[in-house]
Structures are given as structure tokens and as C-alpha cells.
Amino acid sequence: MAVPTGPRGTALDEASPDAVVLDTDGVITDTARVHAAAWKHVFDDLLRRRARERGEEFRPFDTGADYLLHVDGRPRADGVRAFLASRGIDLPEQASRPGEDSVAALADAKDAAFRAALDRDGVAAFPSTVALVRRLRKDGIGVAAVSASRNCARVLAAAGVDALFDVRVDGVDAARLDLAGKPAPDLFLEAARRLGTPPGHTAVVEDSLAGVEAGRRGGFALVVGVDRTGQAAALAERGADVVVPDLGELG
């Protein structure tokens, strides 16, 4: 499938949405790389131990392919399950004894690693995204921040952009409302509901394959894929109407 091209700068103007829903990690804030590093820390520890115990070759977690294909944009536990399945590893959901590997233990370890990195290094918002959100607000267009992460509020506050968004829907809401994770469109649909705009009058901006697919499944007016990792063709295949390397091209 060809990557959608054309007058990217006018894509939002042509769609004329009443609201825009933006993914947080990788679209609003430069935290996708922090998430990828946290996943690598946790999975490599597991993979190294299993390789040593079995006398097998250690195949580390790839912050490119493994991250993008299996964990990017998904709730933590779903990401653990997807990556383990890709390596043929079967672990219990919960540990039956202290120190036992499990889906829950790996998800918790990843969360701890991410929070430690966030506290140590901080986080920045992409200037082009901030500029776009300010323009949308000036034009009277509602804006929402969406994330599968329970740390979304903490990330937006750390980046100093939490006050820019009319609505936030995150992993805390997903757990409370029993919303399915991406590629299901539940998070985006809840954001549109809170903004008071139907999906057909709302645009979605995403950088993950699962997120773009969720936008397409939800029947949104426009799905914009942000390609920061060289996966433009894959974003188009999952349903992006237009793919841009940076949101400055939509300004």
C-alpha cells in the first residue's frame, strides 16, 4: 500500500474536525524512547536469565522492531503477553511464589523502570505538537490527550502541557471503565464522547501501529500517522489517511 501523500499541511483543514484526539507518548511527548528503554531493561533481564539456564543464545529485545510490533501503544500487560508470545515464552499471569516470573511481575517492573527514568531525566513535549494544539484551541477545536499508560497525567505534567488539553483519557480510565486497549478504539471513542463530538467529526493523531488501527476501527473522520521511526508504509497499511514525519507539517 502506498504511503498517503499530498497536501499534508491542509489535511486537518480539509477534514474540518470539531475535535482532535492525540496520543501522548511519541506524539505529544518524547517518551516513546523512554518506554522502549524500560521495556528493554526488563525483557533483556528475563531473556538473559532464560538463555543462561537453557544454554541457549541470548537474543536481546530490539527497541526498534520488537517495541513497534509488540508493545508500542498497548497496555503494559498486553505488551508483555504479545512480546512473550513472539518468543514462544509462556508465563503465568500472576506469580505463585516470590521471585517467580509472571506477566504481572514484568509489567510492574517495566512501570518501575519507566517511572525511575522519568524522575531522573524528565520529559519534553514536541514543540511542533504544542504549537498545533495551541492553534487548534485558538480555532475553537477541542483537543484530548489519550494514552494506554497509567502514567499519562504524570508525563503531561512533567512536560508542562497538561493544561493544554480539554480531556485526558488514560490507563487509569481504561481500568476503571473496563475499556479495551488498542487496537480497539475504546480509548479514542471515550475521548470523543467527553469532548462531545462524534467520531465522524473527530480526528485522531497517532504514532503507533496499534493506535492508527484503533483510529480506523473507530470510524474517525481523519487518522494522521506520525512517523518518527521509519514505519510510514506500515502506518498507511494500518489505516492512516496521511502520514507525516512531524506535526509541523499540519500547522
Side-chain angles (χ1 to χ4, degrees):
M1 181 176 181
V3 178
T5 57
R8 294 170 174 174
T10 60
L12 281 176
D13 297 325
E14 290 175 352
S16 299
D18 295 324
V20 178
V21 178
L22 300 95
D23 175 56
T24 300
D25 299 309
V27 173
I28 299 172
T29 57
D30 188 14
T31 39
R33 60 183 177 80
V34 185
H35 281 289
W39 280 119
K40 181 173 179 59
H41 172 76
V42 170
F43 282 136
D44 277 2
D45 177 65
L46 171 73
L47 296 170
R48 189 176 289 107
R49 284 189 286 105
R50 288 178 65 90
R52 184 169 58 248
E53 291 167 1
R54 290 162 174 74
E56 300 171 348
E57 180 184 359
F58 167 56
R59 291 172 52 214
F61 177 84
D62 187 331
T63 55
D66 286 330
Y67 176 73
L68 296 174
L69 288 174
H70 305 303
V71 300
D72 188 23
R74 300 177 186 271
R76 282 195 304 275
D78 288 350
V80 172
R81 296 186 193 100
F83 175 70
L84 293 181
S86 76
R87 295 295 182 94
I89 300 173
D90 184 26
L91 294 180
E93 288 293 308
Q94 300 285 340
S96 59
R97 62 181 184 278
E100 181 183 22
D101 291 321
S102 68
V103 170
L106 291 174
D108 289 345
K110 185 270 173 180
D111 186 45
F114 175 78
R115 285 172 174 262
L118 192 64
D119 291 341
R120 182 181 64 249
D121 303 325
V123 65
F126 291 103
S128 57
T129 301
V130 173
L132 175 63
V133 170
R134 292 189 188 282
R135 178 175 75 83
L136 293 172
R137 291 178 62 90
K138 183 178 179 181
D139 292 342
I141 297 173
V143 287
V146 166
S147 175
S149 173
R150 293 172 183 258
N151 292 312
C152 181
R154 186 175 183 171
V155 167
L156 293 175
V161 295
D162 49 330
L164 285 180
F165 297 92
D166 303 300
V167 164
R168 184 188 76 246
V169 179
D170 58 20
V172 176
D173 297 302
R176 179 173 58 85
L177 300 174
D178 195 27
L179 303 176
K182 306 168 192 176
D186 296 27
L187 293 169
F188 294 144
L189 292 173
E190 176 63 16
R193 185 191 69 77
R194 294 186 189 183
L195 287 167
T197 58
H201 292 272
T202 305
V204 165
V205 184
E206 256 285 0
D207 71 315
S208 74
L209 300 180
V212 163
E213 184 175 338
R216 178 54 54 224
R217 288 189 187 184
F220 287 87
L222 178 73
V223 179
V224 177
V226 181
D227 176 30
R228 302 194 193 279
T229 56
Q231 58 175 351
L235 290 167
E237 288 169 0
R238 292 293 183 97
D241 295 300
V242 61
V243 179
V244 296
D246 184 83
L247 290 187
E249 296 200 18
L250 294 179

